[in-house]
DNA sequence: CCTTTACTCAACCTGATGGTTGACTATAAT
DNA sequence: ATTATAGTCAACCATCAGGTTGAGTAAAGG
């Protein structure tokens, strides 16, 4: 299973690469909210925020439930966990090239 | 400090939203490599891979060192760590709405 | 019933992304 | 000196992303 075969990560990282969407995620961590409330802090049209929510929803990061005339949104952790799992394999890297060599040799040792 | 004020996360997540670039990151975890070696597994021009490396470099995820006529690339963990730090705050979320309510009340309790 | 609220949808614009090719530069090898 | 290697650069193209506006729909409230 190569990295290329994880298209879910494409959409997750892509969704989180926008500050507006990260702000929405952060807001939803405090509890679910309807779209209009989520849109309120932002200096953009409701349509624009609705599009952002759509992106988050398509990525599986947010669940949107139709309730009367409002749409209530809440956070889903699963894709985020998947992203953390992938990232965690690489967060320990630092610049020193000799260290990189050491890691390389250590890995060959295990093979 | 709001989420919007972290433009580094924009470039980090954006850089990682492409499968080719994630594959490069994964490859570099095994040790540094020149561009031509990095490009070899991919069915695209060297120019295209060079552009991907440029994106990773601009995001601070990869360091490129000019050495003779080759460019040697190695991974940098710092931006990845920052991404993990941000994500970790949200990976625990699941779907149950009552749980979201509980978290919300717990947070109000602390305020 | 009529109006307001909370959206959605379609069309449009602009700029960024991901890829190509062809020409070029610089280092290394013969 | 010539050639091959490693990579950059500029131009181009198609598609996508983030925003807008204007019109339309569906539920709630007077």
């Amino acid at each position: 299973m190569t990295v290329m075969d994880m298209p879910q990560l494409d959409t997750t990282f892509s969704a989180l690469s926008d500050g507006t969407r990260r702000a929405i995620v952060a807001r939803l961590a405090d509890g679910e909210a309807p779209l209009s409330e989520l849109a309120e802090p932002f200096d953009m049209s409701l349509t624009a925020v609705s599009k952002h929510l759509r992106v988050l929803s398509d990525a599986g990061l947010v669940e949107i439930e139709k309730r009367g005339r409002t749409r209530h949104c809440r956070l889903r952790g699963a894709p985020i966990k998947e992203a953390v799992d992938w990232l965690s394999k690489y967060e320990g890297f630092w610049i020193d090239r000799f260290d990189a060599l050491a890691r390389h040799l250590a890995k060959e040792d295990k093979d």
Side-chain angles (χ1 to χ4, degrees), chain A residues 14-103:
Chain A
S14 178
L16 294 174
S17 72
D18 181 276
T20 301
R21 284 187 302 256
R22 285 198 307 278
I24 290 174
V25 166
R27 164 64 189 80
L28 288 177
D30 283 349
E32 67 172 50
L35 175 51
S36 43
E37 185 186 322
L38 291 175
E40 196 266 329
F42 302 107
D43 188 23
M44 67 179 72
S45 68
L46 187 64
T47 301
V49 176
S50 177
K51 280 190 186 184
H52 282 303
L53 251 303
R54 180 70 182 269
V55 172
L56 290 167
S57 167
D58 286 349
L61 286 161
V62 163
E63 251 214 351
I64 302 177
E65 183 198 347
K66 196 173 172 176
R67 203 185 298 170
R69 70 181 152 176
T70 67
R71 274 90 177 119
H72 287 254
C73 311
R74 60 180 163 274
L75 201 54
R76 288 196 55 226
I80 297 182
K81 180 173 187 322
E82 190 190 23
V84 169
D85 287 347
W86 188 85
L87 285 171
S88 299
K89 292 183 288 193
Y90 310 111
E91 68 177 324
F93 280 74
W94 53 94
I95 298 178
D96 187 335
R97 94 186 71 155
F98 300 109
D99 179 70
L101 177 62
R103 271 195 309 278

Side-chain angles (χ1 to χ4, degrees), chain A residues 1-7 9 86 89-90:
Chain A
M1 178 188 52
T2 84
V3 179
M4 305 287 293
D5 299 329
M6 300 184 69
L9 289 175
W86 188 85
K89 292 183 288 193
Y90 310 111

